[in-house]
Amino acid sequence: MKQLRKPPKYCQGFEDRHGKVRWYYRRPGFPRVPLPGLPWTPEFMAAYEAAQNGEKLEIAKDRNVPGSIAALVASFYQTSDFKGLSDSTKATYRGIIERFRADHGHRLAKEMQLQHVQNIVAKKADTPAAANNLLRMIHLLMRHAVDLGWRRDDPTRGVRKVRNKTEGFLTWEEEHITAFEAHHKPGTRAHLALSLLLYTGQRRSDVVRMGRQHVRNGVLSITQQKTGQDVHIPLHSDLRVILDALPLDNLSFLVTAQGRPFTPASFTNWFREMVREVTTEENGVKKQVLPDKLSPHGLRKATCRRLAEAGCTPHEIMAISGHRSLAEVTRYTVAAGRKDLAKRAIASLDKKEG
């Protein structure tokens, strides 16, 4: 008889009178929190991690009050726009929307005005990315309210995004990759993780799912969880050697120290720790070598950078990365082109002066 996998710690499930199985996070000293979906799914684990961190994600009690924000959220979850999203994106949306519903679910959707939205977003100005993500979710909800006839206009129109000075995820440079590989030798999980990220150019949510079932005739094929895009990537010779050396006792290439699959969030946390482990010692004091901001997504950007520097066209890069917009990958080829032009320019100057 196949043994069922245990749910995460502090999780309890039961079957209600309608035959539906419901799961809750029940930790001593913490409020009971309902969890969506089934244990170990992306949506379930996102809510589980939020509950562990003490974030308030309870479903509003007044969700059925007609015309309320809470009722609007419940209706939005039933739309094709939301149902058509990937599980990981649904979990991300829910995390933001549920916090908004907890704070404003009792209010009527028709009463929300532009200044209300501005005030809500302004309270998160210290975290621009979070503020702009919240603004986007409110926009989706208000647009749905217009579709339902609950209000005539979208109060998010005219609300400016919070200016974010960051340039996004830091791209790994070659010296970063060399330093990481020098510390985390072939055969370690950290080296395997870096190789999968670097030689496939995929997001963390897809890398943690990769296994031998995705490889056939030297080609790794996977459907991207976030976009539903199919990608078919011939294995790089270095990656092929690494994968061939792996044991056959796991369905996924990457697993935790306990032999379980990673969730995307837990993988990022673990990988950042691997980055911090790359140190040097000066006068008996350990010093971190790599920038703390290096992340798994930065290796996806490094893959695009490498492909551009190798002379690949934007469409060739898109075939590997799965990007759907030329604008997202053109900047890599533009940057690589400028680098080559600069080299030729200086070479021409040296030749002329010589």
Side-chain angles (χ1 to χ4, degrees):
M1 181 177 178
K2 186 177 179 180
Q3 186 175 2
L4 295 177
R5 189 177 178 188
K6 290 184 178 179
K9 193 174 182 180
Y10 303 122
C11 291
Q12 295 181 357
F14 70 93
E15 186 174 318
D16 65 15
R17 60 190 178 89
H18 301 291
K20 182 177 180 179
V21 177
R22 299 183 182 276
W23 285 90
Y24 290 87
Y25 179 84
R26 301 191 68 176
R27 182 178 179 182
F30 285 72
R32 188 178 74 163
V33 180
L35 300 172
L38 297 174
W40 305 110
T41 62
E43 184 180 17
F44 183 97
M45 295 309 298
Y48 172 74
E49 291 180 17
Q52 277 194 310
N53 294 330
E55 297 179 24
K56 188 176 181 181
L57 294 176
E58 295 93 343
I59 303 300
K61 295 180 180 179
D62 54 355
R63 63 184 299 172
N64 294 321
V65 175
S68 68
I69 295 293
L72 179 64
V73 170
S75 176
F76 175 71
Y77 287 156
Q78 302 306 311
T79 64
S80 58
D81 286 344
F82 182 79
K83 289 185 174 181
L85 300 172
S86 66
D87 288 343
S88 61
T89 303
K90 285 179 183 176
T92 299
Y93 279 29
R94 278 186 183 274
I96 301 170
I97 291 173
E98 287 303 327
R99 286 188 284 273
F100 174 69
R101 174 156 66 171
D103 292 335
H104 304 281
H106 61 286
R107 305 181 187 279
L108 294 179
K110 68 179 182 180
E111 293 180 350
M112 180 161 282
Q113 302 300 319
L114 182 143
Q115 61 267 29
H116 297 147
V117 180
Q118 289 175 325
N119 292 336
I120 292 170
V121 173
K123 289 180 180 179
K124 288 186 171 290
D126 291 340
T127 53
N132 293 331
N133 286 335
L134 175 58
L135 175 59
R136 185 185 176 201
M137 294 303 106
I138 298 175
H139 166 68
L140 292 176
L141 291 172
M142 292 300 107
R143 188 176 66 182
H144 182 53
V146 173
D147 292 340
L148 292 174
W150 290 10
R151 59 178 302 130
R152 295 181 179 179
D153 62 343
D154 174 6
T156 65
R157 287 186 176 273
V159 179
R160 294 183 179 181
K161 290 184 178 180
V162 177
R163 187 173 181 180
N164 194 348
K165 295 181 180 179
T166 181
E167 295 181 358
F169 294 96
L170 183 64
T171 303
W172 287 60
E173 302 297 341
E174 293 305 313
E175 60 265 26
H176 299 149
I177 297 169
T178 300
F180 189 96
E181 291 179 323
H183 183 86
H184 297 289
K185 305 295 185 181
T188 62
R189 284 189 302 142
H191 187 275
L192 171 62
L194 178 126
S195 300
L196 285 169
L197 289 161
L198 189 61
Y199 291 123
T200 69
Q202 301 307 298
R203 300 177 183 86
R204 63 177 187 173
S205 57
D206 298 316
V207 169
V208 297
R209 295 187 296 117
M210 288 179 182
R212 297 187 186 281
Q213 69 275 18
H214 295 114
V215 179
R216 179 173 295 180
N217 298 325
V219 177
L220 190 151
S221 301
I222 196 166
T223 301
Q224 293 183 333
Q225 190 175 69
K226 181 177 181 179
T227 64
Q229 179 71 38
D230 292 330
V231 291
H232 307 279
I233 309 164
L235 290 181
H236 188 280
S237 57
D238 290 347
L239 182 59
R240 186 194 296 267
V241 171
I242 293 169
L243 297 183
D244 287 345
L246 293 177
L248 302 176
D249 54 353
N250 282 302
L251 189 62
S252 301
F253 291 136
L254 277 172
V255 292
T256 67
Q258 292 74 36
R260 297 175 179 173
F262 279 104
T263 64
S266 65
F267 172 70
T268 295
N269 292 335
W270 168 78
F271 193 77
R272 286 187 182 275
E273 285 300 320
M274 297 302 99
V275 170
R276 296 187 187 103
E277 282 188 9
V278 182
T279 58
T280 186
E281 191 168 319
E282 296 180 5
N283 300 321
V285 179
K286 286 188 176 181
K287 182 181 179 182
Q288 188 172 319
V289 173
L290 298 174
D292 200 46
K293 292 184 178 181
L294 288 177
S295 66
H297 197 81
L299 280 165
R300 174 170 162 82
K301 296 176 71 174
T303 302
C304 294
R305 172 184 58 76
R306 279 186 166 187
L307 292 169
E309 290 173 354
C312 295
T313 66
H315 284 94
E316 288 173 331
I317 297 174
M318 290 170 68
I320 299 296
S321 67
H323 283 109
R324 292 185 174 184
S325 169
L326 274 173
E328 293 183 82
V329 296
T330 298
R331 64 177 179 272
Y332 294 106
T333 55
V334 170
R338 286 177 177 171
K339 182 183 290 187
D340 290 337
L341 288 172
K343 287 180 180 178
R344 277 187 279 174
I346 295 301
S348 298
L349 183 60
D350 284 342
K351 184 177 180 180
K352 181 178 180 180
E353 291 178 349

